[in-house]
Amino acid sequence: MSQGLFHSTGNNVYGHSKNSVSAGLTEVGVNVSYQALDNLSFAVQGLYRRAGANTGDWGGVSLDFAFFDYTFFRHSHGRIGVRGGRVKNPWGLYNETRDVSFTHPTIFLPLTYFDRSRTLFLAMDGGQFYADYNTSVGDFTFKFNYGLMNADDKELLIAVVNNPFVPGRLVSEPSFVTQLSYEIMGGQYVFALSYADVSLAYTTPSALDPYAGLTTHFDSFIVSAQYNGEKFSFAGEYNVQWNEFSSLMPRPDDGRPVSEHWYVQGGYRILESLQFTVRYDKTVQDVRDSSGQQFHQLTGLPAHLMFTQDIVFGLRWDITPAWMIRGEYHRVHGASTISFLDNPDIAQAALNWNIYALQVSFRF
């Protein structure tokens, strides 16, 4: 369970936080697992999440994951198996546990983990093939997910069509996500390569809908590296995404923008239960228009809706193994990652703004 409080200047985050205080991020998850046989287990988790205007005043309950895990080959150096149902997507360092606040480096995940596409990337309905192999020089893990992503999300729809008033919705076509990771010394050093091939289609009940026939496809690649020492920790990820939009409606880009996201992050353990984190984060919606000037000329909207730079300072205190509290400060330049639902007057989005955040979390 976790509860956040947010105050910001310029733009809203998780509700009405601009020049006010919002308690708009609440998460409660309950999970159960059952080991039926030595090589067969089941796991399920339900999640209640209220995230600003994205899920309404009272939030929503969803099936976070629900799958069987069958290991059909096991030996002293590894295993091979399959999972089926709603399975987590192996994407970068944090996606598989992004709904567990204790696993986050900060309250807000790095911008690589685009919050407007959170529902899409979190899990998929389908199956996963996995293989682990442990060697004297490190441990290798391979995962391959294939199935349907969860694309029915209002925030994602607005980000794709650039229009909050359309009557239709997005549906997923067969997609896949895969990852190869390598760990040394029990996770002291972690390296990973992740790739996603995702296809979405817009469906509408109206024959007059100008967005009828819209499809979007993107290929996304992310390289990750992490060091976890006794006192110091470092992490960095670089993500490039090739997007392709097909529609009867013209777009401010040529329909094939290339997005780029990266960050570097360092942490220092002041005490056993107290840790300080600093991060520099940068994202660009189209590398060919990194300043957003072409976007501004074509749409009249602020150029800074096409990029974001974020400097983060965070402090985490593990009061007990069950209770954690943390606070952080963000100095933000740009507005490409703000919620359109929390900021409906997008033409007034601020260029330079601040976020002050506090979060309390409990686990059992």
Side-chain angles (χ1 to χ4, degrees):
M1 297 186 290
S2 68
Q3 176 62 57
L5 295 174
F6 305 92
H7 168 72
S8 61
T9 63
N11 300 308
N12 288 314
V13 293
Y14 294 128
H16 182 57
S17 64
K18 179 182 175 182
N19 301 324
S20 182
V21 176
S22 168
L25 180 61
T26 306
E27 293 177 306
V28 180
V30 177
N31 62 69
V32 178
S33 62
Y34 174 62
Q35 190 74 40
L37 302 170
D38 287 344
N39 61 346
L40 177 64
S41 63
F42 299 87
V44 60
Q45 176 166 292
L47 182 70
Y48 166 82
R49 189 171 193 263
R50 182 171 62 94
N54 192 20
T55 50
D57 292 339
W58 298 103
V61 177
S62 63
L63 187 63
D64 205 21
F65 61 80
F67 59 85
F68 71 86
D69 185 332
Y70 178 69
T71 304
F72 57 82
F73 180 74
R74 189 191 305 269
H75 59 93
S76 58
H77 293 289
R79 60 176 183 162
I80 300 176
V82 293
R83 298 183 177 106
R86 177 163 293 181
V87 293
K88 286 296 189 71
N89 286 320
W91 178 251
L93 296 172
Y94 304 112
N95 188 68
E96 289 179 291
T97 58
R98 68 186 297 169
D99 53 359
V100 182
S101 61
F102 281 84
T103 67
H104 294 187
T106 48
I107 299 172
F108 292 85
L109 280 174
L111 301 181
T112 299
Y113 302 88
F114 201 40
D115 206 50
R116 294 212 299 263
S117 60
R118 177 190 183 278
T119 301
L120 178 70
F121 258 87
L122 186 62
M124 70 162 53
D125 295 330
Q128 178 185 92
F129 170 84
Y130 66 88
D132 302 329
Y133 187 60
N134 306 322
T135 73
S136 59
V137 295
D139 304 330
F140 295 87
T141 299
F142 173 75
K143 296 177 181 177
F144 181 88
N145 285 20
Y146 184 82
L148 300 176
M149 313 286 268
N150 182 9
D152 190 12
D153 181 82
K154 184 69 172 178
E155 188 81 68
L156 177 66
L157 176 62
I158 297 173
V160 170
V161 303
N162 293 318
N163 188 336
F165 305 110
V166 293
R169 65 188 186 94
L170 291 175
V171 296
S172 173
E173 297 181 347
S175 305
F176 73 85
V177 181
T178 186
Q179 183 182 79
L180 176 64
S181 62
Y182 173 55
E183 296 188 8
I184 307 174
M185 301 175 65
Q188 185 172 358
Y189 297 89
V190 180
F191 304 93
L193 300 175
S194 309
Y195 176 75
D197 183 290
V198 180
S199 296
L200 307 174
Y202 176 77
T203 64
T204 176
S206 172
L208 301 178
D209 190 336
Y211 292 92
L214 180 146
T215 61
T216 178
H217 174 266
F218 60 83
D219 300 285
S220 195
F221 177 76
I222 182 171
V223 56
S224 312
Q226 186 178 50
Y227 166 73
N228 300 298
E230 182 178 355
K231 289 286 187 180
F232 290 95
S233 64
F234 299 96
E237 295 187 278
Y238 175 80
N239 171 221
V240 60
Q241 181 169 303
W242 296 269
N243 308 277
E244 184 173 352
F245 298 91
S246 173
S247 174
L248 300 177
M249 292 293 292
R251 290 179 56 88
D253 49 54
D254 63 357
R256 294 184 297 274
V258 180
S259 306
E260 184 181 67
H261 323 279
W262 63 271
Y263 74 90
V264 289
Q265 174 182 280
Y268 177 70
R269 191 173 298 279
I270 303 170
L271 300 172
E272 183 66 24
S273 60
L274 193 64
Q275 182 171 329
F276 174 75
T277 300
V278 61
R279 180 172 69 238
Y280 177 78
D281 227 334
K282 183 175 182 180
T283 178
V284 175
Q285 295 298 93
D286 190 347
V287 295
R288 294 165 300 180
D289 184 24
S290 59
S291 67
Q293 290 304 313
Q294 296 178 31
F295 172 82
H296 172 67
Q297 292 171 5
L298 288 170
T299 66
L301 294 172
H304 49 272
L305 290 175
M306 293 295 287
F307 61 84
T308 300
Q309 298 171 35
D310 187 13
I311 300 175
V312 186
F313 300 94
L315 191 64
R316 167 175 173 166
W317 179 27
D318 290 294
I319 306 171
T320 71
W323 287 95
M324 176 191 69
I325 185 171
R326 58 185 169 192
E328 64 193 48
Y329 166 72
H330 295 246
R331 177 58 179 171
V332 189
H333 177 71
S336 63
T337 59
I338 65 174
S339 165
F340 294 157
L341 295 177
D342 286 331
N343 299 273
D345 190 2
I346 203 68
Q348 300 301 316
L351 171 61
N352 295 303
W353 52 298
N354 304 298
I355 304 174
Y356 305 86
L358 183 70
Q359 185 182 58
V360 178
S361 299
F362 171 74
R363 61 181 172 182
F364 58 91

